[in-house]
């Protein structure tokens, strides 16, 4: 019985005289960038990434925060150093995370609803959860 490759099946393996033989390491490395499930690792990492839920302030907490903001507006010339804890929405999934910025407040713009830190950070007043500092310990 004759098969398709009978004429070449017993020939010696060809070795190039011009190009050196590639090592096994280099031969396998050329397939390393191949990923059967492109983006799968990123999707797993994104799913595992934790986010926090934005908790609504109670009436008493909101009142205390409003008093602190009013106090800072009145004392802005003294340039007190404060720590502002605020919530930042996550752009990819529900929730977000809480951040704290410490520094001197440059201005509080109640019309635009923004608190600006001297370092250039602008924080939406509606996302602020707490303000702390030595100026409040009197």
């Amino acid at each position: 019985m004759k098969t398709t490759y009978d004429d070449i099946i017993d020939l010696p393996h060809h070795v190039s005289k011009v190009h050196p033989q590639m090592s096994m390491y280099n031969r396998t490395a050329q397939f390393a960038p191949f990923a059967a499930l492109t983006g799968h690792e990123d999707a797993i990492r994104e799913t595992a990434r934790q986010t926090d839920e934005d908790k609504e302030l109670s009436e008493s907490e909101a009142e205390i925060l409003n008093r602190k903001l009013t106090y800072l507006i009145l004392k802005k010339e003294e340039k007190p150093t404060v720590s502002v804890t605020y919530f930042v929405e996550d752009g990819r999934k529900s929730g977000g995370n809480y951040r704290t910025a410490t520094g001197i407040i440059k201005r509080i713009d109640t019309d635009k609803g923004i608190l600006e830190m001297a370092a250039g950070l602008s924080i939406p007043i509606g996302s602020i959860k707490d303000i702390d500092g030595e100026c409040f310990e009197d």
Side-chain angles (χ1 to χ4, degrees):
M1 172 170 7
K2 189 153 173 101
T3 61
T4 309
Y5 299 105
D6 281 347
D7 57 336
I8 63 169
I9 197 77
D10 292 322
L11 291 177
H13 177 73
H14 173 73
V15 177
S16 173
K17 294 177 185 171
V18 179
H19 302 289
Q21 190 168 6
M22 190 182 286
S23 69
M24 281 295 229
Y25 176 78
N26 287 340
R27 288 178 71 186
T28 57
Q30 68 184 336
F31 295 104
F34 175 74
L37 298 173
T38 305
H40 183 67
E41 283 293 321
D42 293 336
I44 290 173
R45 242 187 319 276
E46 179 63 23
T47 302
R49 189 171 55 86
Q50 297 291 315
T51 57
D52 295 318
E53 184 180 320
D54 185 9
K55 294 191 171 90
E56 204 60 39
L57 294 177
S58 68
E59 281 188 42
S60 62
E61 291 170 329
E63 180 62 34
I64 291 169
L65 183 60
N66 283 335
R67 281 190 209 147
K68 287 180 178 182
L69 284 167
T70 303
Y71 179 81
L72 289 174
I73 291 169
L74 296 172
K75 298 291 185 176
K76 69 180 177 187
E77 299 303 321
E78 296 176 18
K79 298 187 179 190
T81 299
V82 294
S83 293
V84 180
T85 302
Y86 59 103
F87 187 79
V88 178
E89 290 284 333
D90 192 300
R92 296 185 190 165
K93 60 197 288 187
S94 66
N97 58 30
Y98 289 94
R99 295 183 187 168
T100 301
T102 301
I104 297 171
I105 294 184
K106 182 177 175 181
R107 80 183 171 127
I108 300 172
D109 189 337
T110 54
D111 293 334
K112 293 182 181 176
I114 293 175
L115 179 143
E116 286 185 32
M117 304 288 281
L121 177 65
S122 292
I123 303 169
I125 292 175
S127 68
I128 297 174
K129 301 303 174 187
D130 190 25
I131 301 174
D132 197 20
E134 290 181 12
C135 60
F136 299 117
E137 294 177 4
D138 293 340

PDB file of all heavy atoms in Angstrom, residues 11-19 21:
ATOM      1  N   LEU A  11      14.024  10.003   4.397  1.00  0.00           N
ATOM      2  CA  LEU A  11      15.112  10.941   4.139  1.00  0.00           C
ATOM      3  C   LEU A  11      15.621  11.524   5.460  1.00  0.00           C
ATOM      4  O   LEU A  11      14.859  11.670   6.422  1.00  0.00           O
ATOM      5  CB  LEU A  11      14.638  12.077   3.234  1.00  0.00           C
ATOM      6  CG  LEU A  11      14.309  11.717   1.789  1.00  0.00           C
ATOM      7  CD1 LEU A  11      13.781  12.947   1.056  1.00  0.00           C
ATOM      8  CD2 LEU A  11      15.522  11.173   1.071  1.00  0.00           C
ATOM      9  N   PRO A  12      16.919  11.899   5.542  1.00  0.00           N
ATOM     10  CA  PRO A  12      17.440  12.498   6.774  1.00  0.00           C
ATOM     11  C   PRO A  12      16.848  13.894   6.993  1.00  0.00           C
ATOM     12  O   PRO A  12      16.484  14.572   6.046  1.00  0.00           O
ATOM     13  CB  PRO A  12      18.948  12.569   6.538  1.00  0.00           C
ATOM     14  CG  PRO A  12      19.124  12.485   5.067  1.00  0.00           C
ATOM     15  CD  PRO A  12      17.939  11.741   4.519  1.00  0.00           C
ATOM     16  N   HIS A  13      16.795  14.289   8.255  1.00  0.00           N
ATOM     17  CA  HIS A  13      16.261  15.608   8.629  1.00  0.00           C
ATOM     18  C   HIS A  13      17.159  16.681   8.045  1.00  0.00           C
ATOM     19  O   HIS A  13      18.387  16.619   8.147  1.00  0.00           O
ATOM     20  CB  HIS A  13      16.194  15.739  10.160  1.00  0.00           C
ATOM     21  CG  HIS A  13      15.734  17.083  10.636  1.00  0.00           C
ATOM     22  ND1 HIS A  13      14.431  17.493  10.539  1.00  0.00           N
ATOM     23  CD2 HIS A  13      16.407  18.102  11.208  1.00  0.00           C
ATOM     24  CE1 HIS A  13      14.313  18.713  11.028  1.00  0.00           C
ATOM     25  NE2 HIS A  13      15.520  19.103  11.459  1.00  0.00           N
ATOM     26  N   HIS A  14      16.582  17.712   7.454  1.00  0.00           N
ATOM     27  CA  HIS A  14      17.352  18.790   6.839  1.00  0.00           C
ATOM     28  C   HIS A  14      17.941  19.704   7.910  1.00  0.00           C
ATOM     29  O   HIS A  14      17.260  20.137   8.828  1.00  0.00           O
ATOM     30  CB  HIS A  14      16.464  19.616   5.899  1.00  0.00           C
ATOM     31  CG  HIS A  14      17.147  20.839   5.370  1.00  0.00           C
ATOM     32  ND1 HIS A  14      18.139  20.771   4.416  1.00  0.00           N
ATOM     33  CD2 HIS A  14      17.005  22.140   5.671  1.00  0.00           C
ATOM     34  CE1 HIS A  14      18.572  21.994   4.153  1.00  0.00           C
ATOM     35  NE2 HIS A  14      17.880  22.843   4.914  1.00  0.00           N
ATOM     36  N   VAL A  15      19.236  20.001   7.795  1.00  0.00           N
ATOM     37  CA  VAL A  15      19.916  20.938   8.671  1.00  0.00           C
ATOM     38  C   VAL A  15      20.513  22.016   7.779  1.00  0.00           C
ATOM     39  O   VAL A  15      21.308  21.716   6.881  1.00  0.00           O
ATOM     40  CB  VAL A  15      21.014  20.244   9.505  1.00  0.00           C
ATOM     41  CG1 VAL A  15      21.755  21.247  10.361  1.00  0.00           C
ATOM     42  CG2 VAL A  15      20.421  19.138  10.358  1.00  0.00           C
ATOM     43  N   SER A  16      20.161  23.264   8.045  1.00  0.00           N
ATOM     44  CA  SER A  16      20.615  24.377   7.219  1.00  0.00           C
ATOM     45  C   SER A  16      22.108  24.610   7.392  1.00  0.00           C
ATOM     46  O   SER A  16      22.643  24.542   8.504  1.00  0.00           O
ATOM     47  CB  SER A  16      19.856  25.644   7.586  1.00  0.00           C
ATOM     48  OG  SER A  16      20.390  26.753   6.902  1.00  0.00           O
ATOM     49  N   LYS A  17      22.778  24.918   6.299  1.00  0.00           N
ATOM     50  CA  LYS A  17      24.200  25.239   6.340  1.00  0.00           C
ATOM     51  C   LYS A  17      24.388  26.745   6.535  1.00  0.00           C
ATOM     52  O   LYS A  17      25.458  27.198   6.885  1.00  0.00           O
ATOM     53  CB  LYS A  17      24.867  24.793   5.043  1.00  0.00           C
ATOM     54  CG  LYS A  17      24.860  23.297   4.878  1.00  0.00           C
ATOM     55  CD  LYS A  17      25.456  22.901   3.563  1.00  0.00           C
ATOM     56  CE  LYS A  17      25.307  21.387   3.421  1.00  0.00           C
ATOM     57  NZ  LYS A  17      25.657  20.923   2.101  1.00  0.00           N
ATOM     58  N   VAL A  18      23.341  27.527   6.301  1.00  0.00           N
ATOM     59  CA  VAL A  18      23.412  28.979   6.373  1.00  0.00           C
ATOM     60  C   VAL A  18      22.977  29.497   7.752  1.00  0.00           C
ATOM     61  O   VAL A  18      23.620  30.367   8.334  1.00  0.00           O
ATOM     62  CB  VAL A  18      22.519  29.613   5.280  1.00  0.00           C
ATOM     63  CG1 VAL A  18      22.555  31.123   5.342  1.00  0.00           C
ATOM     64  CG2 VAL A  18      22.926  29.123   3.918  1.00  0.00           C
ATOM     65  N   HIS A  19      21.879  28.979   8.287  1.00  0.00           N
ATOM     66  CA  HIS A  19      21.325  29.449   9.557  1.00  0.00           C
ATOM     67  C   HIS A  19      21.673  28.483  10.681  1.00  0.00           C
ATOM     68  O   HIS A  19      21.509  27.272  10.524  1.00  0.00           O
ATOM     69  CB  HIS A  19      19.801  29.573   9.465  1.00  0.00           C
ATOM     70  CG  HIS A  19      19.340  30.498   8.369  1.00  0.00           C
ATOM     71  ND1 HIS A  19      19.498  31.849   8.442  1.00  0.00           N
ATOM     72  CD2 HIS A  19      18.751  30.246   7.172  1.00  0.00           C
ATOM     73  CE1 HIS A  19      19.014  32.411   7.344  1.00  0.00           C
ATOM     74  NE2 HIS A  19      18.558  31.449   6.550  1.00  0.00           N
ATOM     75  N   GLN A  21      21.203  26.351  14.098  1.00  0.00           N
ATOM     76  CA  GLN A  21      20.005  25.702  14.636  1.00  0.00           C
ATOM     77  C   GLN A  21      19.557  26.443  15.896  1.00  0.00           C
ATOM     78  O   GLN A  21      20.354  26.806  16.741  1.00  0.00           O
ATOM     79  CB  GLN A  21      20.295  24.236  14.956  1.00  0.00           C
ATOM     80  CG  GLN A  21      19.048  23.466  15.274  1.00  0.00           C
ATOM     81  CD  GLN A  21      19.301  21.960  15.302  1.00  0.00           C
ATOM     82  OE1 GLN A  21      20.430  21.516  15.191  1.00  0.00           O
ATOM     83  NE2 GLN A  21      18.252  21.208  15.438  1.00  0.00           N
TER      84      GLN A  21
END
